[in-house]
Amino acid sequence: MSRGERVRRLGDTEAAFAYAHALVHGSGRLTTTFTVNGVLAPERIERAVETWVRRLPLLSLRIEDTGDGGLWFRQGTPGPHPVREREVDGERLWALSVGRTPVGTTRFSLALHPAICDGYSVGRLVRPLLDALFGTPGSCSGEQELPPDLDGLTYQGGAACGCGVCMPSGSPRRGRRDATPCAGDRDGRAGRVDRAGDVVTLALDARASRRLRDWCGTRQLTVSGFLTTVLADALVRASGRTEVTVATAVSLRRSYAERTLITEQGCVLGMVRAALRAGPGGDPVGAARANTAALCAAGRAWRPERRAHTAVRRAVERVAAGEGGVELRVVDAGSLDTALGPHAGRVTGLRTVAAHGGTRLGGTLHLSSFKGALTVALAAGGPWAAVAERELTDAALLRSALLPV
């Protein structure tokens, strides 16, 4: 493809994320941070990034507004990318910053435009970078496909919802039933809380993560379903409403007849919405089961829409303006271990945060798991953010640890 050549029209999902991202001035991105053992020379990193971008045409894409209500991908020029402890962005749909840490490791922070990546495919973009950095053959050898055009494929969904609430990284599993609280649960040492703007990230250690999964599993719940219900209850109390809309990300990688054409790269998901009733008191376990069932039913009934981009943009603007009430988005990226292949041992602290960009949404809950440790990130604004943080921390650390399994 030549420089500036239009590649294809954005699909409905891609366009929705692109419009939302633009509406909040570029703060709707996915940001993944991780560290690699050892201090790597800047020249080595630059060569690896050049190889990474050259082998992944997706990283050279731009989004062009044709002026007639349509968005198109066009091909840009990869070019060299200096990455010495500063951000690489400009017109591109990604940004990378690299720096040393005080403990002798190299820290990477990769921000990706939501139209070219979702929570499920972050690892599939990080892995080729690590392949190039360490000279490992595999996923980074040869050119990768561009984002799949779902609008032209045959949808075969309906058998299972595949949503992030009923099939998450924190899927329930039977395990040890030790009812003794984790050491440090009472004073927060089992989980570290970080704040950056409107985003609060709770990183549980492996032991606390296991206890939370086990606590949910013995109650036939998932971590994602349980935390979604906790936040929905908090949002209802803060907003004075009787119900809240929950939008959960549904991976569509197994939902099309031409599934072999769907690569791991790209934004390949649907947002399934269901109105959940919530309120103080009652049975939180029963409410979580009912909410999960409602979201699963919505997932099975969901079908992709084909709409003009002007209609997509109007829908995004209505949601951003708060029409239809508050909304909580849930994205569960699953376990990221397998996506890194042979590099899993070199990488520590891998986490992804999905920002909601300061819109009037209730917030975005993002979960992922790496080496058994669960990361829960909540992007929320407004007066309910402090309540949401307290409820989320209590549910993830205290409630599951102190109640009998």
Side-chain angles (χ1 to χ4, degrees):
M1 289 176 288
S2 61
R3 179 181 180 183
E5 177 185 348
R6 289 183 184 175
V7 179
R8 67 165 174 83
R9 179 182 179 274
L10 271 68
D12 283 353
T13 296
E14 295 164 336
F17 278 106
Y19 283 129
H21 187 65
L23 190 64
V24 295
H25 310 293
S27 58
R29 63 193 176 275
L30 290 168
T31 301
T32 298
T33 58
F34 61 93
T35 57
V36 173
N37 295 329
V39 176
L40 306 179
E43 296 79 9
R44 177 180 176 180
I45 296 172
E46 289 179 6
R47 289 194 301 269
V49 172
E50 290 176 8
T51 301
W52 178 58
V53 175
R54 186 174 64 250
R55 291 177 173 176
L56 291 173
L58 175 144
L59 296 174
S60 300
L61 294 178
R62 314 287 191 271
I63 293 178
E64 177 184 4
D65 191 336
T66 60
D68 57 359
L71 297 178
W72 283 74
F73 284 122
R74 66 176 174 85
Q75 190 71 16
T77 301
H81 300 276
V83 290
R84 286 191 179 96
E85 301 192 19
R86 67 184 181 87
E87 203 170 67
V88 179
D89 49 15
E91 192 183 8
R92 296 178 178 85
L93 302 183
W94 56 276
L96 178 68
S97 61
V98 185
R100 298 180 181 180
T101 71
V103 294
T105 60
T106 304
R107 182 179 184 273
F108 293 77
S109 179
L110 175 62
L112 292 157
H113 192 288
I116 65 168
C117 185
D118 57 37
Y120 302 93
S121 60
V122 167
R124 302 297 181 180
L125 292 176
V126 172
R127 163 103 185 248
L129 174 60
L130 295 170
D131 284 344
L133 192 61
F134 294 101
T136 304
S139 63
C140 198
S141 59
E143 290 191 352
Q144 304 294 310
E145 296 292 329
L146 294 175
D149 185 0
L150 301 183
D151 288 354
L153 302 183
T154 306
Y155 185 73
Q156 290 185 329
C161 71
C163 71
V165 171
C166 71
M167 297 177 64
S169 66
S171 297
R173 60 181 178 83
R174 302 291 176 177
R176 185 172 58 90
R177 292 196 171 195
D178 178 12
T180 304
C182 289
D185 283 332
R186 293 184 181 275
D187 58 17
R189 287 178 300 185
R192 188 178 69 254
V193 177
D194 297 323
R195 297 174 185 84
D198 288 342
V199 179
V200 175
T201 303
L202 174 62
L204 278 67
D205 63 24
R207 188 180 181 190
S209 299
R210 183 177 64 250
R211 286 196 53 84
L212 179 58
R213 292 188 181 100
D214 290 347
W215 187 89
C216 290
T218 57
R219 288 158 180 80
Q220 298 180 317
L221 297 176
T222 63
V223 172
S224 184
F226 172 57
L227 297 183
T228 296
T229 296
V230 168
L231 290 177
D233 286 345
L235 188 52
V236 162
R237 294 196 305 273
S239 64
R241 301 173 183 267
T242 58
E243 66 180 23
V244 60
T245 298
V246 171
T248 184
V250 178
S251 176
L252 302 177
R253 288 178 171 80
R254 296 183 178 273
S255 298
Y256 288 88
E258 305 89 346
R259 66 178 59 179
T260 57
L261 300 178
I262 300 179
T263 62
E264 289 293 336
Q265 290 82 18
C267 181
V268 187
L269 54 76
M271 295 302 295
V272 173
R273 288 174 169 82
L276 306 182
R277 297 191 63 83
D283 175 17
V285 172
R289 289 174 184 158
N291 290 343
T292 298
L295 285 164
C296 289
R300 288 190 294 270
W302 183 87
R303 295 293 184 276
E305 293 185 81
R306 291 297 303 274
R307 299 178 292 177
H309 281 189
T310 50
V312 174
R313 179 167 191 145
R314 285 195 298 269
V316 170
E317 289 172 343
R318 287 195 297 269
V319 171
E323 295 182 22
V326 292
E327 180 178 281
L328 174 66
R329 290 188 175 184
V330 181
V331 179
D332 196 317
S335 175
L336 303 178
D337 298 63
T338 57
L340 299 185
H343 307 294
R346 298 185 173 110
V347 175
T348 58
L350 181 67
R351 66 172 69 172
T352 297
V353 174
H356 71 90
T359 70
R360 292 180 61 185
L361 298 175
T364 298
L365 176 67
H366 192 282
L367 300 96
S368 62
S369 179
F370 183 63
K371 296 184 179 179
L374 182 67
T375 296
V376 182
L378 176 67
W384 90 288
V387 175
E389 177 184 343
R390 184 174 63 251
E391 294 278 346
L392 184 66
T393 304
D394 177 67
L397 283 175
L398 295 177
R399 191 177 309 182
S400 62
L402 300 181
L403 289 180
V405 175

